[in-house]
Amino acid sequence: MSDSSSTSSSAPPSQASTALSSLPSPEIQTLSLGDVTDEDRAQAAKIKTEANQAFATRTKLEEYGFALSDASKAIEVDPKYAKAFYRYVTGCGYIRPKLNARISRATCYLQIAKPQLAVADFKKVVALEPRNTVVQSQLIATQKLVRRIEFEKAIEVEGEKDPVERCHEIIAEGGCEVEKAYAGPQLSTGDDGGYVMTEEFIEGMIEWFKSGKNLPRRYAWEIILGACSHFVKEESLVNLNLQEGVTCDVIGDVHGQFYDLLNLYSLTGTPTENHCLLMNGDLVDRGSWSIEVILTAFAYKWLYPTRMFINRGNHEAKDMNRTYGFEGEAKHKHGEQTYKLFAHVFTTLPLATLVSATKAPTKTSVTTILSPEGLKRYFVVHGGLFSKDGVTLDDVRKIPRIGRQPGQDGLMCAYPPAFPTSYLLICFQPDLLWTDPQILPGRGPSKRGVGIAFGPDVTKRWCSLNGITCIIRSHEVRQDGYAVEHDGLCTTVFSAPNYVDQVGNKGAFIRIDAEGEQKYFQFEATPHPPMKPMAYAQGGLASLMM
């Protein structure tokens, strides 16, 4: 490992990272000013400072549900007071003073991909402050975004050719040839005349990316289609059995941080016969090199299909890509058809991976949960567990995922019992991508405003039912890069250090061997060229970036 990394075989040194960062705000009471003393003013200033600090923490950790609650309470106190809360959230959590609760709430709606709800708050602010040109521009941008979403839905209803099929047609018709002026790395051809992936090409591609250049559109399509040809053969739950001498590194969210990904790969090593990589979703969005990240990962999948594994995250979805930058980046670098191809291929990504040891464990405790064969095994999924008990591994394996966007709402879909099982299985997909662990037992609303949270008792019941030693999930920043939670039955790993250039967290990955032993590795952020996060974001949220 490099000097900037560290390794441990136990839980993180700080327990602070294992707990949820905050709780919902207390009720805001309507106060009568009366005779305000200097002591009252000092106390009020202190509370305001603490509240703004807490709000900044929440936005950095994507706790938009709590932020929505705060803003709504402020509006309840005085719906017409335009400066009820002196805070303003942008896409990366920066705070801009002296704007209002409705803007704060509208922005949170944009953050959770609900622009329709944001429009109403922006309209109210414009009515209260008709000369506020900043909010007017945000309203216009958000309205355009809503109209575009409605138009795209209408097109989908009318029916559109499968993007994979369409790209193959364009290639066959000669409509996507490599530009003659292109001077970068060249894909090799196989015996059948088709393109094949090589380690040499990937190395050259990475250097080409580091010089700030794009691949030809044809090469991008070949990489996406090559990876897709393997994803469609995999079940929604992939089985990965670690034979003796084989290890697997589980990598959490990367979020378009290409230079951190290169550093990470230098620590994990690339896929080999005796070493697997498992990327646990959210490869794209927020970071401004998402194309470089996803093409590199897909190239390895094409080259090493049984040693490179990629789970789907909640950001491998249209609504999130529209909001957080990947759609704009893909269209800017490779055109609209390329984005359509990505959007479809994202639906072919497996939803979870079952990493199983093949050797009996030498280290166990009375609480260790083993498979029916007496072996350790790990359920690796981006988000977490389900909004109902009793879900089995076989249920996950049967989820019909291809061509389906996961959505955010209705985690326990309200289908009547008479509906086919396949419809009920679809309901599990957003659970797998969106849920989070919580400290309290049972289930509760998510602090991020989307999905649910599940407690340690839920985790224990599910692991016991399915013979799972530990759930490994990602989806949330952890200051140490990882955190062991729920009495060791749930581990969060996050691999985007200094998330969006401001959180200051470490990145981490987890190595699992043939006995099921885990080791944790941490690493720091790597410098990158001067480009802000979400540089390609479009629509309402883009106008809020600083």
Side-chain angles (χ1 to χ4, degrees), residues 48-103:
K48 175 184 171 182
T49 299
E50 292 175 350
N52 284 332
Q53 289 173 345
F55 187 76
T57 299
R58 287 179 181 179
T59 56
K60 285 182 180 181
L61 298 181
E62 304 177 3
E63 295 178 349
Y64 304 124
F66 290 171
L68 280 168
S69 177
D70 289 349
S72 297
K73 288 294 182 182
I75 293 167
E76 287 177 17
V77 170
D78 189 345
K80 295 183 179 181
Y81 186 32
K83 295 180 180 178
F85 273 10
Y86 299 135
R87 67 197 187 191
Y88 177 85
V89 191
T90 72
C92 291
Y94 297 99
I95 303 299
R96 194 180 284 172
K98 296 187 178 179
L99 286 177
N100 53 70
R102 285 193 183 273
I103 297 179

Side-chain angles (χ1 to χ4, degrees), residues 392-433:
T392 67
L393 295 176
D394 197 45
D395 290 331
V396 178
R397 192 172 287 111
K398 292 178 180 178
I399 294 174
R401 72 188 191 277
I402 297 178
R404 300 183 183 277
Q405 295 296 323
Q408 303 173 6
D409 299 318
L411 296 184
M412 194 168 178
C413 300
Y415 291 117
F419 267 54
T421 302
S422 60
Y423 283 91
L424 300 177
L425 291 174
I426 293 169
C427 304
F428 298 149
Q429 184 170 348
D431 288 344
L432 291 163
L433 304 186

Side-chain angles (χ1 to χ4, degrees), residues 84-127:
F85 273 10
Y86 299 135
R87 67 197 187 191
Y88 177 85
V89 191
T90 72
C92 291
Y94 297 99
I95 303 299
R96 194 180 284 172
K98 296 187 178 179
L99 286 177
N100 53 70
R102 285 193 183 273
I103 297 179
S104 183
R105 188 169 71 176
T107 309
C108 287
Y109 282 136
L110 289 174
Q111 295 274 13
I112 60 175
K114 296 182 179 180
Q116 296 88 346
L117 297 177
V119 168
D121 278 331
F122 282 140
K123 283 183 176 180
K124 185 66 175 180
V125 174
V126 169

